[in-house]
Amino acid sequence: MGVKLIKGGTVVNANHIGEADVLIEEEKIVGVISPQSEIAISALHGDTDIIDASGMYVIPGGVDAHVHLQLPMSPEATSSDTFASGTAAAAWGGTTTVIDFAGQIKGTAIPHAIETRLEEASGQCAIDYAFHLSVGDVNNQSLIDLSNMLEEGISSYKLFMAYPDSWYSDDGQILQVMQLAADTGAMIMMHAENGIAIDVLRDQAFERGATGSIWHGRTRPPELEGEAAHRAIQLAVVAGSPLYIVHLSSSNALNEVARARNDGKNVFAETCPQYLYLSLEEHLDQPGIDGVRHICSPPLRKLADGHQDSLWKGLRTDDLSVVATDHCPFCDAEKRLGIDDFRQAPNGLGVIEHRMDLLFQGVLQGEISLQRWVEICSTTPARLFGLQGKKGVIAPGADADIVIYDPKKEHVLGAETHHMAIDHSAWEGVSVTGQAISVLSRGNFVVQNRQFVGEQGHGKFLKRNIPDFLR
Ligand code: URP
Ligand code: ZN
Ligand code: ZN
């Protein structure tokens, strides 16, 4: 593998942008140097591999902090991207680290959940990966197991205020896990929707014959996301733990996060491309399979209510710190389960390949700056989930996870050309400008000049540290 020099590009970090060459030795970045420096000039005459990045941005590989690969959502539906296909698709789009979930189902033990997931992913991934823990059964043993998991590199726990039939924890259970996180420094991730109230609304709707996909949205109103976010924040404040609200979709929830952050609390939130670009009126409110394909939770929100504008504003003001995908794709065969009863549709969309490109449109449209793009897609997720210094930055000592990004390349998204294992696309026909041309993971090409040259099994499991969230 040896020494590589990425030459002639514009290096974009969250805190700096400038013309620089990037020197890589084996798996690490060893220098970010002036193109006129002696090292850069002498490299041209040695046996260094020179990678031409003229006219390109050279950015840290994307860190997608929320994905669900081969997730068994129900006995009938498992998310369609495997660890192999999903990590390859991520790399095609300029993401070099994914954080998936090990899930503790009710009545089972946490170590079992982790072992199972490690086995499933081992030898499969094209890029590096890690796991959060979805906690589905909070009891005394779970609390002991959670603190032991820190040594295994699992330093973040997802709790659910939604899904009363499966993943739900009540406020007392949530408080206990938050107290543990306050002691250890682990990160609490929250699915903030009031699932008890939502289930009443869902069943009432179905019983009066309201069965179509639009009712998925109408029975999960933004008020019940705002309420849950408020409650989660108060519980975290009482416990003294950090809190990260996942897949935030509404201005209702965002206002709660903004208030807490103004009060100086360690409260963070992520949104996802689907909430920035897709809507209840245009996508969920379609007949048949077209609407069902867009069922995800929280649901797509009403464009007319201004949620998308609020989310873009939140990304600018840092009330939203991260954009992740919540990638959870299902093919039409599985989505059809929800055609006559929206409650039966497996929840989730396919996004893992397109996150960097979709957010780059925000740069081109003046919603966010170039550096902010890198910060929300790469640097901050690395910091908030214990990968600081290793991922999300182009600096000496960091892993050589690097994307050479052409800001001018125009292309059209869709099922014919994407690499995700899904037979349709929520992004069909969307024209974008900007594309990852070459992608390196720990100094190895995974994508080179738009050819996949990666290897299944190259990706390593990342043991994560305690999150770095205080400045
Ligand atoms: O619809 C979604 N979000 N599916 C994935 C599961 C979750 O709650 O994140
Ligand atoms: Zn969730
Ligand atoms: Zn999710």
Side-chain angles (χ1 to χ4, degrees), residues 66-68 71 73 101 134 158 160 163 191 246-247 270 272 297-298 325-328 347:
H66 185 160
V67 306
H68 302 281
L71 169 71
M73 187 73 114
F101 295 79
S134 286
K158 184 176 179 192
F160 296 80
Y163 309 137
H191 182 132
V246 293
H247 47 47
E270 93 188 357
C272 310
S297 294
T325 57
D326 194 12
H327 177 73
C328 194
N347 285 203

